[in-house]
Amino acid sequence: MIPAALIEQLRACQHLAILTGAGVSAESGIPTFRDALTGLWQRYSAEKLASLAGFSKDPALVWGWYEARRQTVLRAIPNPAHIAIAKLATYVPQVTLITQNVDDLHERAGSPEVIHLHGSLHHPRCVGCRRPYTFPDPIVYEDFEPIVEQRINPPFCTHCGALIRPGVVWFGEPLPVRAFSQAEAACQAADLLLVIGTSGMVYPAANLPILASRAGVHVAEINLTSHALNQADTHLDFSLIGKAGEIVPLLVDAAFG
Ligand code: OAD
């Protein structure tokens, strides 16, 4: 099931880059964005909930929706894909883990350093002075509803009085500059790039596999379907179709078990 050439490449790899998307957390019960029926953008308006204009218009709706997502993540636990990815850092001399996910499941699985391209649900900040905001205890509300549209007023910044916003990157906003340049550099310098559970629809993150393949880096995709890296200019060396929580542990065991 796992191509022998990929196992060999992983075993010999000195610098491994990994790009993950919502699919890697799907088996932990975190909804993806674009999967039919279950994807968040199939059910909710990205324009209303994931843009500065939407937040300015209805801050309580946006804050409530992200708070429900954060509560879902707090209750979730890392799945075998997160755990196998974390294990790779003990076998490969250099691993650069890049995620588009705003959860912290890679960190909780034990991955030592994670580049978050799209920010984090756990690190809100002030819209005015950009100072970070720390959530009060208790962190997990016992009776919290799963992800639904509900209004919760966002807190105010204790320094400047402006509203606190979710710490995620919204449509139309730039990616964190340092994180993206680290990701670009790693994807071009690595020996191998694993692209796990992303539809490859959102730029500039979707450019990373293209950059890698242009730089001669081998690219392997792991996804439920093969649509993810269908850009004509990405040369995909391997495509492993199936659940990340099954395939990633198999791959790691085949190379290092
Ligand atoms: P998508 O929802 O666009 O894509 C999820 C991908 O995961 C799809 O290609 C699925 O086939 C795949 N998938 C689902 N379950 C899987 C499983 N168990 N194992 C392997 N693959 C699985 O999510 P992303 O590509 O991450 O942006 O979306 C990119 C960005 O779009 C997100 O970071 C988010 C969203 O708008 C922000 O929040 C800024």
Side-chain angles (χ1 to χ4, degrees), residues 21-23 27 33-34 41 100 118 169 197-199 202 223-224 227 244:
E27 290 158 74
F33 294 93
R34 295 177 183 78
W41 297 151
Q100 298 165 83
H118 292 164
V169 175
T198 176
S199 60
V202 174
N223 201 298
L224 272 186
H227 70 83

Side-chain angles (χ1 to χ4, degrees), residues 19 40 59 69 79 114 139 156 169 181 212 215 218:
L19 171 65
L40 290 174
R69 284 180 59 197
N79 68 54
V114 187
I139 291 180
F156 290 100
V169 175
S181 61
H218 292 116

Side-chain angles (χ1 to χ4, degrees), residues 20-27 31-35 39-41 46 50 66 69 99-102 117-119 168-171 175 196-202 205 221-228 242-245:
T20 64
V24 83
S25 294
E27 290 158 74
T32 62
F33 294 93
R34 295 177 183 78
D35 283 295
L40 290 174
W41 297 151
Y66 282 93
R69 284 180 59 197
T99 189
Q100 298 165 83
N101 296 346
V102 293
L117 295 180
H118 292 164
V168 305
V169 175
W170 282 328
F171 288 103
L175 265 51
I196 307 173
T198 176
S199 60
M201 306 267 287
V202 174
E221 172 196 37
I222 297 168
N223 201 298
L224 272 186
T225 61
S226 66
H227 70 83
K243 289 183 174 178

